[in-house]
Amino acid sequence: MTAALHVRRTSSREPLVAELAARIGTRPGLAALLADLDRRAHRSLVPRLLGRRVAAAWGWDAEDRGNEWWPQGVTTTVDATGLGTVPDGIAGRRVAVVASYAKPVPGPHGPVKQGARLTFLDLGSGAYRHVLLVKPVRRDDGTVGLAPVPVHAGGVVWSGSWLHVGATGKGCVSAHLDDLVHLGDDERGTAFGYRWVLPTRVDHRGGADEGAEKLRWSFLSLDVGTRSLVVGEYGRGEKSTRIARFPLDDEGLPAGSPDDPTLTRATEVIDTGVRGMQGVASVDGRLHVTTSHGGWLPGSLVTARSHDARGWRRTVAAAPMGCEDLSWSPAERLLWTPTEHPHRRWLVALRPPR
């Protein structure tokens, strides 16, 4: 059943992105964004009291600790450079990207849905900024505008100059960092007040052959050793809890086949995952997954050999409540995970069990 799961790339929206950027702002690049970080995170000791595998943690500013944005996915510059391609603007920087989705908020004409955003956090200084994820769309009058991207953003991978953001049943959406748009003052109102937006350039739509069930891209991470995306499903009750690998090409995109460069098939599928998985990381032949237990109980870290995922070993109270996606940092030997619940939101580094 491995090859039955696949993902197909849509046509590039780069011409629309270029037209959008020319109309509403400029595309100055990642270095300009990292020079324009406007918020400040702080080191926090509280998560060490709530999770026994916590090595370090960052806390957000007062507004972000309790607003409508729920952190889900995480990736870092370790992922960005892992495949050998170093994006412009990150040399010597340690940066984490956290993906969040917004719950609707009241507006003058009904609930306002802002979609998903990416938070770029400098792990050296603690400075950070939010960037709204958008989709360029052709309007009825022929101009190009932007629309929110309504995805759960349960996982994010920084692969070369690409960011892949989980879209659950739809697969993932992919944005190129050269497309970062700095908005002019008159255009910020079209993007809920955000100064920076990142348009998605392509979608990767999950699919399956006849007789197989599509994979839910609940969360994802990068496995440098196998040059692959590792994708997992959140599932409880009768829902599946599979983990699948999809190979990446030299550019950091899902690798197509010689017969069809837009179609990528899974190279491995494990159907014995853990109920309630929130994140997955492949580390030295092992799989680590997070599971959470509501808003007030600490989360768990569950580990198995990737070739024998029936022998899961659980470390209880390993992480604070609401732990989510995972990203591996081999030099530090730490697993990064964000936590989601209001007033209990941190970016946490965990020590994996041996």
Side-chain angles (χ1 to χ4, degrees):
M1 294 295 289
T2 298
L5 299 181
H6 54 77
V7 63
R8 185 178 293 278
R9 188 183 311 160
T10 62
S11 299
S12 174
R13 293 187 287 269
E14 200 280 333
L16 283 181
V17 172
E19 190 175 338
L20 175 70
R23 191 180 70 79
I24 66 174
T26 59
R27 285 194 283 182
L30 178 62
L33 168 66
L34 296 180
D36 192 31
L37 305 179
D38 64 336
R39 294 173 181 255
R40 183 72 61 174
H42 62 276
R43 293 281 192 174
S44 177
L45 297 177
V46 174
R48 293 192 180 193
L49 305 176
L50 301 173
R52 55 190 179 134
R53 303 302 301 181
V54 175
W58 288 96
W60 309 106
D61 72 11
E63 178 185 352
D64 290 326
R65 289 197 292 270
N67 61 17
E68 71 274 16
W69 288 95
W70 288 62
Q72 301 292 306
V74 64
T75 187
T76 73
T77 43
V78 172
D79 288 344
T81 60
L83 299 181
T85 302
V86 181
D88 293 337
I90 67 168
R93 304 286 291 268
R94 294 174 60 244
V95 178
V97 177
V98 175
S100 306
Y101 77 95
K103 294 193 174 182
V105 295
H109 306 292
V112 177
K113 300 178 180 179
Q114 300 175 71
R117 75 181 183 189
L118 303 168
T119 300
F120 289 76
L121 167 66
D122 187 316
L123 293 170
S125 67
Y128 70 96
R129 180 180 274 278
H130 304 306
V131 176
L132 188 69
L133 197 65
V134 300
K135 181 178 180 178
V137 293
R138 180 75 66 185
R139 296 169 170 167
D140 292 340
D141 63 3
T143 62
V144 177
L146 55 83
V149 180
V151 298
H152 190 70
V156 59
V157 165
W158 191 342
S159 179
S161 294
W162 290 91
L163 285 171
H164 307 301
V165 182
T168 320
K170 298 177 183 178
C172 70
V173 297
S174 301
H176 197 281
L177 287 169
D178 285 351
D179 297 338
L180 278 162
V181 176
H182 183 265
L183 296 180
D185 290 339
D186 294 340
E187 298 296 336
R188 294 179 66 180
T190 65
F192 307 109
Y194 284 81
R195 172 67 70 184
W196 289 84
V197 300
L198 180 60
T200 58
R201 191 184 289 193
V202 295
D203 301 332
H204 289 92
R205 294 175 178 165
D209 294 345
E210 186 176 355
E213 181 184 356
K214 284 200 314 180
L215 186 73
R216 301 186 307 280
W217 288 53
S218 302
F219 44 86
L220 55 150
S221 64
L222 177 67
D223 184 353
V224 173
T226 60
R227 295 187 65 89
S228 62
L229 287 178
V230 184
V231 182
E233 294 181 311
Y234 173 85
R236 295 190 184 275
E238 297 300 317
K239 286 192 173 183
S240 57
T241 54
R242 295 169 292 178
I243 298 170
R245 293 178 186 271
F246 295 87
L248 295 170
D249 63 19
D250 292 341
E251 193 181 352
L253 291 167
S257 67
D259 296 334
D260 187 348
T262 69
L263 185 70
T264 304
R265 291 190 175 274
T267 56
E268 179 185 20
V269 177
I270 296 169
D271 60 5
T272 54
V274 177
R275 297 294 175 199
M277 294 188 298
Q278 301 279 7
V280 63
S282 179
V283 178
D284 301 333
R286 294 184 179 186
L287 291 172
H288 299 284
V289 303
T290 47
T291 61
S292 59
H293 311 288
W296 296 103
L297 295 177
S300 300
L301 193 60
V302 195
T303 303
R305 289 286 179 185
S306 58
H307 63 273
D308 183 18
R310 297 182 186 276
W312 293 101
R313 293 185 294 109
R314 184 179 296 271
T315 303
V316 298
M321 56 286 293
C323 53
E324 291 287 326
D325 190 32
L326 284 172
S327 180
W328 171 239
S329 180
E332 304 164 299
R333 298 202 64 78
L334 293 174
L335 291 161
W336 289 95
T337 184
T339 61
E340 67 170 348
H341 294 291
H343 307 295
R344 297 178 298 284
R345 289 176 178 160
W346 301 280
L347 177 60
V348 176
L350 303 175
R351 300 183 304 273
R354 294 185 179 181

